[in-house]
Amino acid sequence: QKEVEQNSGPLSVPEGAIASLNCTYSDRVSQSFFWYRQYSGKSPELIMSIYSNGDKEDGRFTAQLNKASQYVSLLIRDSQPSDSATYLCAVNKAGSQGNLIFGKGTKLSVKP
Amino acid sequence: DAGITQSPRHKVTETGTPVTLRCHQTENHRYMYWYRQDPGHGLRLIHYSYGVKDTDKGEVSDGYSVSRSKTEDFLLTLESATSSQTSVYFCAISEKGLNEQFFGPGTRLTVL
């Protein structure tokens, strides 16, 4: 089983819709979870971090964590064409010095 | 944006030559990381540092070495570049382990 798995997409949603991005991870003792956005040719940009079960909201973004199911998701409400990017899920590697394991990313396309 | 710069931003070199990439931060963060990003593989950790002169290997460290003589600089060296090291290299910084990592702009390296 891969350590961090994401659907590669592309995920296509119409403008104004909710985009739902999912990520599963294999290490049960992971404690820190992150979502990064990466535009083509650019560096990853941190958009959300979550450390405990439940939901965390920041503007149009909501991260959801379920440690029992080893599942973390990102919801983007009122999607905009500017949200079109690749979204990377990252999970800390247990027992490391904060090392992150990244998923391969989900490409999101928001159609006007 | 976190104060992280990488140099050079682009480099073309030949197989067998040594190459050094530099990451410079102005945030005084303790942790620094080097990643490579390749299609189909996502972001993979090469080496990381948890303090001055304190470094350790990541997932794909073969063929790479690092040095950190002061807090603000983290150098990645390819002793003898190979075509398989053609990639985009990102530096990241973090204030504490398990905390968010912030990425530099990246270096695109081509080894001919």
Side-chain angles (χ1 to χ4, degrees), chain A residues 31-32 34 36 38 41-46 49 51 56 88 92-93 96-104, chain B residues 30-31 33 35 37 40-43 45 48 50 57 59 90 97-106 108:
Chain A
Q31 301 173 46
S32 307
F34 307 94
Y36 288 83
Q38 186 174 26
K42 301 296 185 182
S43 60
E45 173 192 8
L46 179 70
S49 58
Y51 302 95
K56 179 181 177 182
L88 307 175
N92 82 289
K93 185 177 178 67
S96 70
Q97 299 268 5
N99 295 354
L100 297 181
I101 304 296
F102 282 82
K104 293 181 181 179
Chain B
R30 177 182 174 189
Y31 294 84
Y33 307 84
Y35 292 89
Q37 187 173 39
H41 290 280
L43 277 162
L45 182 65
Y48 64 98
Y50 47 96
K57 297 178 179 179
E59 178 188 356
F90 290 105
L98 301 184
N99 275 20
E100 299 95 343
Q101 292 185 18
F102 300 96
F103 283 79
R108 184 172 295 275

Side-chain angles (χ1 to χ4, degrees), chain B residues 24 41 45-46 55 65 72 78 83 86 88 97 105 108 111:
Chain B
H24 179 78
H41 290 280
L45 182 65
I46 304 171
T55 65
S65 62
E72 57 266 38
L78 292 64
S83 58
T86 292
V88 180
R108 184 172 295 275
V111 184

Side-chain angles (χ1 to χ4, degrees), chain B residues 39-90:
Chain B
H41 290 280
L43 277 162
R44 293 180 291 173
L45 182 65
I46 304 171
H47 281 281
Y48 64 98
S49 170
Y50 47 96
V52 173
K53 297 187 179 178
D54 291 324
T55 65
D56 206 346
K57 297 178 179 179
E59 178 188 356
V60 289
S61 59
D62 287 349
Y64 301 95
S65 62
V66 290
S67 66
R68 191 168 178 201
S69 59
K70 45 187 178 177
T71 300
E72 57 266 38
D73 288 327
F74 192 31
L75 304 180
L76 177 70
T77 297
L78 292 64
E79 300 291 347
S80 178
T82 68
S83 58
S84 65
Q85 294 175 311
T86 292
S87 186
V88 180
Y89 291 85
F90 290 105

